Amino acid sequence: MFKIMIASVMLTLLIGSLPVSAAGQTPVFKGLWVLDKERTKDIPATLESYSLKVDQTAEELILESAITGELRSANGSRGGQRAPAGGFPGAGGSRRGGGSMGGGMGGGGGMGGGMGSTTGMGAGMGGDGPSLAIPREILIQMALAAPIREARFPLNGKVSSVDIPGSPATDGRPATPDLNVKLSSEWRKDGRQLELTLTRVFTTERGARTMVNRDRWEIEKDGSLVVRRQIETRLGGQEVKLYFRRSAD
């Protein structure tokens, strides 16, 4: 009987020493996360900073993304844009429904033209042949440019829908279409990993189009955050790993 009591106490202490996700509890993403430039591969040399400010409740995860610097490839090739402090290029948010969305469909290349898009996924990166490969530094650019600036993801199994009005062409910038954004989430790996899904629906000259982006968030044993970001391209889905460290600020 005494041995059973000792074993029970030791098991309780062991469970209490595990990370929150390993102990069967919901991971806490709340806080300010800063991109780890040493662990994240092939980031543009011109990128100054990229951060995620996260607020989390039982019902929702509120995300604010901020980037400064230029989204150019690591070898200095053209195609990047200068990002103003505190947000993405072209970010001029519109509030409707469940949250504030920054940037619309982005500037520069519009919907058909590669890295000019800030919230679009750069559909014109190459041909349709399976033998083509997108350079790693371009994938990183697309991953960094993918998120909308502010978003509220439900954590209760519901889907949030937000409408963003389009804008006419001005000062050499192409017009952007009306956009519907749907936000949802799903806990994976027995609650250790959170999948965030952002679906954009818009209409082009060729008809209706849907673009889906997925992030899979997981806190590692050392306390860092790894984001596995799925990038949609004409060559299929591509995954990019982004590493973040928690900021003390």
Side-chain angles (χ1 to χ4, degrees):
M1 183 69 178
F2 181 74
K3 291 182 179 179
I4 295 176
M5 291 177 63
I6 292 295
S8 178
V9 171
M10 292 180 65
L11 180 60
T12 301
L13 291 174
L14 176 61
I15 294 176
S17 66
L18 292 174
V20 290
S21 58
Q25 300 179 24
T26 301
V28 178
F29 299 107
K30 184 176 181 178
L32 179 62
W33 299 90
V34 179
L35 183 70
D36 190 330
K37 294 183 178 181
E38 294 183 358
R39 295 186 65 188
T40 304
K41 305 298 183 182
D42 301 315
I43 61 175
T46 51
L47 177 69
E48 297 172 15
S49 67
Y50 178 37
S51 64
L52 306 174
K53 183 180 178 182
V54 181
D55 194 9
Q56 180 181 349
T57 68
E59 295 295 316
E60 65 179 355
L61 183 142
I62 305 171
L63 173 63
E64 296 182 27
S65 303
I67 188 169
T68 58
E70 294 184 7
L71 298 183
R72 291 183 178 175
S73 61
N75 62 10
S77 63
R78 299 179 62 184
Q81 295 186 30
R82 181 69 186 177
F88 288 92
S94 171
R95 285 187 181 273
R96 271 190 177 183
S100 171
M101 301 295 168
M105 292 312 295
M111 287 316 305
M115 287 311 301
S117 174
T118 58
T119 57
M121 292 311 302
M125 290 307 304
D128 297 323
S131 62
L132 296 178
I134 298 176
R136 176 72 182 178
E137 60 268 22
I138 298 298
L139 284 176
I140 289 292
Q141 290 181 54
M142 297 170 72
L144 294 172
I148 50 183
R149 189 169 66 175
E150 299 178 25
R152 305 173 79 101
F153 290 89
L155 298 179
N156 54 9
K158 297 181 179 180
V159 177
S160 174
S161 181
V162 181
D163 292 317
I164 303 175
S167 60
T170 56
D171 300 328
R173 295 170 64 97
T176 60
D178 292 341
L179 178 68
N180 175 260
V181 178
K182 289 182 172 58
L183 304 157
S184 61
S185 68
E186 179 184 359
W187 290 104
R188 305 170 63 91
K189 292 187 175 181
D190 296 325
R192 299 192 308 273
Q193 185 185 83
L194 179 62
E195 180 178 272
L196 303 175
T197 302
L198 187 153
T199 304
R200 299 175 176 90
V201 181
F202 54 95
T203 303
T204 68
E205 295 178 353
R206 298 181 180 179
R209 184 171 177 186
T210 299
M211 304 182 79
V212 180
N213 303 126
R214 288 185 178 89
D215 276 6
R216 291 180 179 176
W217 289 23
E218 192 168 355
I219 296 179
E220 298 190 322
K221 292 181 179 179
D222 62 0
S224 61
L225 170 66
V226 57
V227 175
R228 293 172 173 85
R229 181 160 292 166
Q230 188 80 5
I231 303 301
E232 178 184 305
T233 73
R234 286 189 176 183
L235 306 182
Q238 305 280 338
E239 184 178 274
V240 171
K241 244 184 225 187
L242 304 174
Y243 292 92
F244 296 83
R245 53 181 174 79
R246 196 185 292 271
S247 174
D249 297 338

